[in-house]
Amino acid sequence: MHNPVQETNYMINDLANRKENQFAGVAINYKQENTAFYFFCDNDLALFVHVITNRIIRFRFAPDGHFPPDFSYALSPDFLPQPPSLDFKENPDHYQLTTEHLVCTIRKEGLLVKIEDISGNIINEDERGYQWEYDLQTGNNVVKMSKKVQSGEHYYGLGDKSSNMNLRGRRLQNWGSDTYGYNRNSDPLYKNIPFYIGLHQKMAYGIFFDNTFRTFFDFAHERSNVTSFWAQGEEMNYYFIYGPNLTEVVEQYTNLTGKPEMPPMWALGYQQCKWSYYPEKVFKEIAQGFRDRQIPCDALYLDIDYMDAFRCFTWNKEYFPDPKRMIQELAADGFKTVVIIDPGIKIDKNYWVYQEGIQKDYYCRRADGPYMKGSVWPGLCHFPDYTRPEVRDWWAGLFKELIAEDGVRGVWNDMNEPAVFEHGTFPDDVRFDYDGNSCSHRKAHNIYGMQMARATYMGMKKYCYPNRPLVITRSGYSGVQRYSSTWTGDNVASWDHLWMANIQCQRLSISGMSFVGSDIGGFIETPSGELYIRWLQLGIFHAFCRTHSSGDHGDQEPWSFGEEYTALAKKFIELRYQLLPYIYTTFWQYATYGTPMLRPLVFLDQNNTETYHRMAEFGLGDNLLICPITQAEVEGRWLYLPRGTWYYYWDDSEVSGGKEVWAEARLDRIPLYARAGAVIPFYPVQQYVGEKKITELTLHIYYIDGSLTSMVYEDRGDGYDYTTGEFIKKTFEVTGTATSLSVSQKTEGVYQPGYVMYQIMVHGLPFAVETGEVDGLAVELEHVEILGDKTIPVIKVNPGFENLILKALPVISSTVDPLV
Ligand code: MIG
């Protein structure tokens, strides 16, 4: 689709009102406040530069020298920057700021910024720098920043985009939109994440443009040597984040904008949804369908038809006469019930939520006063102004009955771009409080969904305590990951959409949002059994793992496609449940360090330019590499395996990376590799999290010629005692030689998982085990499993072990040179 917004004439259509772009003049003066500086120009413009850490520098420009109040929904209140070491110098034609890692030069003429590392490599440099435009007629302004494209520079990130992973050559925008049945390259989609990563000369940095107006990013699209970003209002306000490692860039961005708390472990289980399951009888049949077939499932969803006339916080009592009883009965069988809640509140005098909102004056108003009206599912609605603290508190309180009384365990926020049927979204003149910084829809649009998710999270957290909440949102702005998980919206049951789901989830993950998944099988239309299985094979490696469909074409439960496919669906959902401790550990790394859970190939080896354009392959956590099959009727695929040694999960064959390899993967396999040296924890299959008391944790250990450290994190899987020490973090170091393999374990934390045994399964050993020792005592092999032409020694050890060593038959003396 042609993008109507041109870089050179990006806002003003009325030529009579057109002003030339304006630029900074010459800096004549500065003021320092700790690690922040104001630079003042001869044409009144001011630049604020805040050196936040040794790697993060913030830039704000004020054309008239006046900075608006400094307010951001994106920044995390928990961000505690490590203060930088800073050296400042004024030179005749420039200022220079030096930190431990960076040298930032600001030229006095035009305030052009250049950032180098301490070895003098240019990381990022202004081209024309800051520009702005002001329209006297509308009072609207555009702020813009242009940067030079460095040689061989590539771009990643930007939240939810359905185009190629590498963004070079693209122009994209953020204006959250209800994009039913979007396509490759459709833009914008539902979410607004104005954060990108640049990579050149193997060095990475990030730019976070914290501006909630409609924002644009042009990555060498209009001019091949320029990357620029601009917004249709407010100020140029961006953060430069230095890596040089890609993962470190994302971690810092995520620290800045916030991390989620640990989710309840069940939320990492398999979830089943449809628009809609009703009445109660059908909903329960679905539950029974899982248990009868022994296909694991933790959560079932109620879409809009559970409500009475689509009025939020009501039940259709004809379909669900006694929701509390039903939810309890399902809970007794291990199912958590999740319900949808939309922002539109039906205009209906007999509806208590509507009345309360009117009495308290909590709905958004048009510029001239009346409440904004728009149609969504219930008919004409008003919409709460979630950018007002009192409204968020009120909204949170509305969940009391659903959660505290009925027992709902998760809330799904939809339509919060916000979407309305008439014009797609609210008219621009609609007013918002913006936490005391009153503004129009132009500024509040992109954070509306985030503030709704925030208010929902507040309610969930309050009423499900001491359990952990689960919120799912469709729209969001940078920082929404503090409150909510997300999915990629209304996709289609097609192979192309399966391809997109892979890219979208990876891209969201490197944009701070790792708790993400797609509607497995596709929302619109019905997948074939083959497509459904291929999609499920990918979906089990996404943190949010849910089948959803619009439901008007055909059934989309794991057993809807015939016996052969049911068996395959069961097999892969079971694999998901086995992998739970690994996925939970990976989530913990995300929640603790901001590390993306899904890692595009370039994140696994940014020193290898072969990875820069790859997009199908990705890492989940530290030690698994996945590459989905997104084509019909194939027996496998070629993929690029990152450098190092890997094991094909299905047959334990050893494969060296740094090249394209063929992965044999008929419908009963997805290309899946374990890293040499990895320790991968497996649970036994359960029908839902907590079904079984886990008496044994399996550790799959993959031989390495060398050594590798892996970790496993565990806690109770729900509640908050993990925040006060009730967790255990295990660090394993695996070291292999031609004739031995040793594994050491160190633990931290006091949590006692219930199990009394590790079952250790050793893969890829290049020798037959002759002797084994655990903490100095001989240990016998429990048994040996056979996988094709491979053997897998199995040992049982106490989970408190510190050192395990397996050795080959000692070398017989006759082979030793007698003279030595
Ligand atoms: O206008 O609630 O993306 O997941 O099933 C459609 C009905 C509204 C859109 C969501 C979809 C959900 C559907 N919703």
Side-chain angles (χ1 to χ4, degrees):
M1 202 179 72
H2 174 69
N3 189 329
V5 181
Q6 295 298 305
E7 185 187 21
T8 43
N9 179 17
Y10 36 77
M11 184 186 71
I12 296 160
N13 301 319
D14 176 1
L15 285 176
N17 285 319
R18 176 103 191 264
K19 269 194 152 190
E20 288 308 306
N21 292 357
Q22 299 184 59
F23 302 94
V26 180
I28 46 174
N29 203 346
Y30 77 91
K31 186 173 91 188
Q32 178 172 7
E33 282 173 8
N34 299 317
T35 66
F37 298 82
Y38 291 88
F39 300 101
F40 302 101
C41 283
D42 58 356
N43 65 343
D44 291 340
L45 178 138
L47 162 62
F48 173 78
V49 178
H50 182 189
V51 183
I52 297 174
T53 70
N54 282 317
R55 288 187 154 91
I56 304 180
I57 309 178
R58 178 183 182 198
F59 299 88
R60 285 179 86 183
F61 291 84
D64 55 3
H66 300 296
F67 290 94
D70 195 12
F71 176 79
S72 167
Y73 283 116
L75 299 189
S76 166
D78 300 328
F79 176 61
L80 293 175
Q82 284 276 320
S85 61
L86 183 66
D87 180 56
F88 175 77
K89 273 202 200 72
E90 177 173 5
N91 294 305
D93 63 348
H94 69 274
Y95 303 101
Q96 189 171 306
L97 293 85
T98 307
T99 76
E100 194 187 326
H101 301 294
L102 300 171
V103 180
C104 172
T105 308
I106 301 164
R107 213 176 76 186
K108 287 188 178 172
E109 197 183 326
L111 289 180
L112 297 180
V113 171
K114 177 167 85 182
I115 300 173
E116 294 159 292
D117 68 12
I118 35 162
S119 321
N121 300 306
I122 295 177
I123 308 295
N124 186 253
E125 191 180 4
D126 285 359
E127 184 250 350
R128 197 61 182 85
Y130 175 64
Q131 308 165 46
W132 80 98
E133 216 180 77
Y134 181 75
D135 180 14
L136 283 168
Q137 174 70 31
T138 61
N140 294 339
N141 67 310
V142 170
V143 293
K144 182 178 173 192
M145 172 58 58
S146 62
K147 301 277 188 185
K148 288 183 183 166
V149 173
Q150 302 297 326
S151 133
E153 186 157 13
H154 299 274
Y155 300 95
Y156 304 94
L158 227 57
D160 197 7
K161 303 293 173 198
S162 55
S163 45
N164 285 356
M165 188 69 77
N166 189 327
L167 299 174
R168 184 168 178 152
R170 311 243 161 208
R171 173 181 295 172
L172 297 149
Q173 58 175 299
N174 292 313
W175 183 256
S177 303
D178 179 0
T179 42
Y180 177 86
Y182 57 88
N183 277 308
R184 262 198 216 206
N185 300 326
S186 292
D187 183 55
L189 297 180
Y190 304 89
K191 282 168 268 283
N192 318 294
I193 313 290
F195 163 68
Y196 74 86
I197 303 162
L199 172 67
H200 59 92
Q201 270 72 51
K202 300 170 183 166
M203 302 172 299
Y205 67 90
I207 298 275
F208 171 43
F209 181 21
D210 189 7
N211 183 312
T212 62
F213 280 80
R214 190 191 287 257
T215 47
F216 294 85
F217 290 81
D218 184 299
F219 300 104
H221 168 82
E222 181 146 323
R223 284 183 288 161
S224 62
N225 56 344
V226 178
T227 278
S228 57
F229 48 95
W230 63 99
Q232 289 185 341
E234 213 179 38
E235 57 171 17
M236 177 45 58
N237 168 31
Y238 76 93
Y239 295 78
F240 168 86
I241 302 168
Y242 175 59
N245 179 283
L246 282 162
T247 302
E248 284 171 355
V249 173
V250 175
E251 288 175 347
Q252 291 178 82
Y253 163 77
T254 313
N255 282 327
L256 192 65
T257 57
K259 295 161 295 199
E261 294 181 340
M262 285 303 286
M265 194 189 254
W266 65 260
L268 302 178
Y270 175 76
Q271 317 193 39
Q272 181 70 36
C273 189
K274 174 178 160 167
W275 179 16
S276 301
Y277 290 130
Y278 68 88
E280 171 174 342
K281 183 166 169 290
V282 169
F283 198 47
K284 284 196 145 172
E285 277 166 11
I286 296 299
Q288 201 53 45
F290 280 97
R291 298 299 181 246
D292 284 349
R293 296 172 179 87
Q294 292 285 286
I295 299 176
C297 180
D298 260 282
L300 295 176
Y301 281 64
L302 292 172
D303 205 327
I304 48 177
D305 298 287
Y306 80 91
M307 298 180 209
D308 178 10
F310 302 126
R311 295 177 305 176
C312 292
F313 308 103
T314 68
W315 287 91
N316 179 322
K317 289 287 169 85
E318 205 177 301
Y319 297 154
F320 298 99
D322 189 355
K324 183 175 177 167
R325 173 194 43 75
M326 176 187 79
I327 291 170
Q328 260 171 16
E329 286 165 4
L330 288 166
D333 203 6
F335 290 101
K336 274 61 69 176
T337 301
V338 182
V339 300
I340 196 167
I341 288 285
D342 289 349
I345 298 300
K346 185 179 171 67
I347 299 176
D348 173 353
K349 294 201 178 57
N350 302 313
Y351 170 35
W352 62 283
V353 180
Y354 166 78
Q355 285 171 348
E356 271 189 36
I358 292 285
Q359 278 151 18
K360 295 173 192 276
D361 190 19
Y362 281 171
Y363 299 120
C364 295
R365 289 179 181 276
R366 303 295 298 255
D368 294 328
Y371 288 124
M372 189 238 148
K373 285 183 196 171
S375 298
V376 267
W377 295 105
L380 271 184
C381 287
H382 290 327
F383 297 83
D385 180 3
Y386 300 105
T387 70
R388 250 173 92 183
E390 315 86 283
V391 178
R392 290 194 295 269
D393 285 342
W394 170 67
W395 185 259
L398 295 175
F399 287 95
K400 185 167 182 206
E401 188 178 321
L402 274 177
I403 296 165
E405 286 162 39
D406 295 339
V408 164
R409 295 292 291 277
V411 176
W412 173 25
N413 284 164
D414 187 20
M415 305 290 278
N416 56 358
E417 290 68 32
V420 292
F421 294 158
E422 286 85 3
H423 310 288
T425 190
F426 295 178
D428 275 352
D429 70 284
V430 171
R431 305 296 302 170
F432 294 83
D433 180 63
Y434 212 93
D435 279 70
N437 303 277
S438 164
C439 70
S440 79
H441 181 245
R442 298 174 68 246
K443 177 167 165 176
H445 174 86
N446 278 349
I447 46 82
Y448 189 81
M450 174 188 186
Q451 295 312 302
M452 181 197 189
R454 175 186 183 182
T456 300
Y457 170 78
M458 285 163 51
M460 273 230 73
K461 210 174 152 155
K462 183 165 171 195
Y463 297 114
C464 75
Y465 188 85
N467 292 318
R468 302 178 196 166
L470 172 66
V471 177
I472 308 106
T473 183
R474 195 168 71 175
S475 189
Y477 180 74
S478 295
V480 67
Q481 70 271 8
R482 305 201 292 272
Y483 315 118
S484 184
S485 64
T486 192
W487 89 108
T488 57
D490 297 343
N491 57 6
V492 185
S494 71
W495 290 98
D496 204 37
H497 266 271
L498 171 54
W499 179 92
M500 277 183 252
N502 180 23
I503 310 305
Q504 288 175 274
C505 291
Q506 289 183 57
R507 200 195 316 276
L508 279 159
S509 196
I510 61 165
S511 306
M513 299 183 74
S514 280
F515 199 177
V516 57
S518 65
D519 285 351
I520 294 173
F523 177 73
I524 300 161
E525 295 171 15
T526 307
S528 64
E530 184 191 10
L531 176 58
Y532 181 73
I533 295 302
R534 288 301 193 192
W535 208 313
L536 186 61
Q537 289 173 345
L538 172 66
I540 63 163
F541 297 104
H542 291 159
F544 188 80
C545 178
R546 182 185 75 161
T547 293
H548 181 38
S549 74
S550 60
D552 44 3
H553 302 273
D555 291 340
Q556 206 159 304
E557 286 82 45
W559 56 83
S560 304
F561 306 95
E563 261 169 50
E564 178 201 346
Y565 299 106
T566 306
L568 288 168
K570 176 170 152 76
K571 166 177 163 161
F572 285 97
I573 296 173
E574 286 180 349
L575 178 57
R576 166 73 173 204
Y577 277 74
Q578 291 177 304
L579 279 167
L580 276 175
Y582 179 80
I583 295 171
Y584 197 67
T585 297
T586 303
F587 203 110
W588 180 84
Q589 294 176 328
Y590 167 50
T592 307
Y593 308 116
T595 317
M597 294 179 70
L598 305 177
R599 305 173 192 168
L601 208 62
V602 61
F603 277 62
L604 272 66
D605 191 356
Q606 73 186 60
N607 291 324
N608 178 359
T609 52
E610 296 275 341
T611 64
Y612 289 17
H613 287 279
R614 307 294 309 202
M615 45 189 147
E617 307 87 344
F618 67 93
L620 167 64
D622 294 334
N623 293 323
L624 291 179
L625 191 281
I626 296 117
C627 185
I629 299 240
T630 53
Q631 250 185 302
E633 288 168 31
V634 296
E635 304 195 335
R637 66 168 293 162
W638 289 94
L639 58 97
Y640 189 87
L641 201 59
R643 291 188 282 195
T645 303
W646 299 84
Y647 293 90
Y648 198 42
Y649 175 80
W650 306 105
D651 62 13
D652 272 3
S653 56
E654 185 187 322
V655 196
S656 345
K659 60 176 189 288
E660 286 216 350
V661 300
W662 169 260
E664 190 87 27
R666 290 180 177 80
L667 199 53
D668 61 346
R669 292 177 173 185
I670 175 174
L672 169 62
Y673 296 83
R675 190 189 288 283
V679 175
I680 298 178
F682 266 45
Y683 274 173
V685 172
Q686 304 177 80
Q687 296 310 305
Y688 55 90
V689 168
E691 183 209 16
K692 289 185 182 154
K693 182 169 157 44
I694 297 188
T695 53
E696 194 171 85
L697 184 74
T698 298
L699 300 178
H700 290 282
I701 298 185
Y702 288 86
Y703 173 82
I704 185 172
D705 180 11
S707 69
L708 185 79
T709 302
S710 306
M711 67 155 300
V712 174
Y713 170 86
E714 297 170 281
D715 63 23
R716 213 157 50 70
D718 208 336
Y720 291 93
D721 54 8
Y722 76 102
T723 61
T724 53
E726 282 291 324
F727 65 85
I728 188 155
K729 206 177 107 189
K730 300 166 173 174
T731 308
F732 297 96
E733 188 171 340
V734 174
T735 305
T737 70
T739 55
S740 72
L741 183 77
S742 72
V743 183
S744 72
Q745 175 181 237
K746 290 203 175 65
T747 63
E748 192 192 313
V750 299
Y751 176 68
Q752 304 268 347
Y755 50 80
V756 293
M757 201 68 90
Y758 281 153
Q759 163 170 270
I760 292 183
M761 303 183 72
V762 189
H763 302 261
L765 270 189
F767 54 84
V769 178
E770 183 62 19
T771 62
E773 259 180 37
V774 174
D775 295 335
L777 298 175
V779 64
E780 297 289 313
L781 294 190
E782 180 83 13
H783 64 279
V784 172
E785 287 193 8
I786 308 290
L787 183 65
D789 60 351
K790 305 282 192 264
T791 53
I792 304 169
V794 179
I795 308 150
K796 300 228 169 169
V797 304
N798 183 301
F801 89 95
E802 287 175 11
N803 283 292
L804 159 70
I805 180 151
L806 302 178
K807 288 185 185 152
L809 200 63
V811 180
I812 306 161
S813 57
S814 69
T815 64
V816 176
D817 186 341
L819 294 177
V820 179

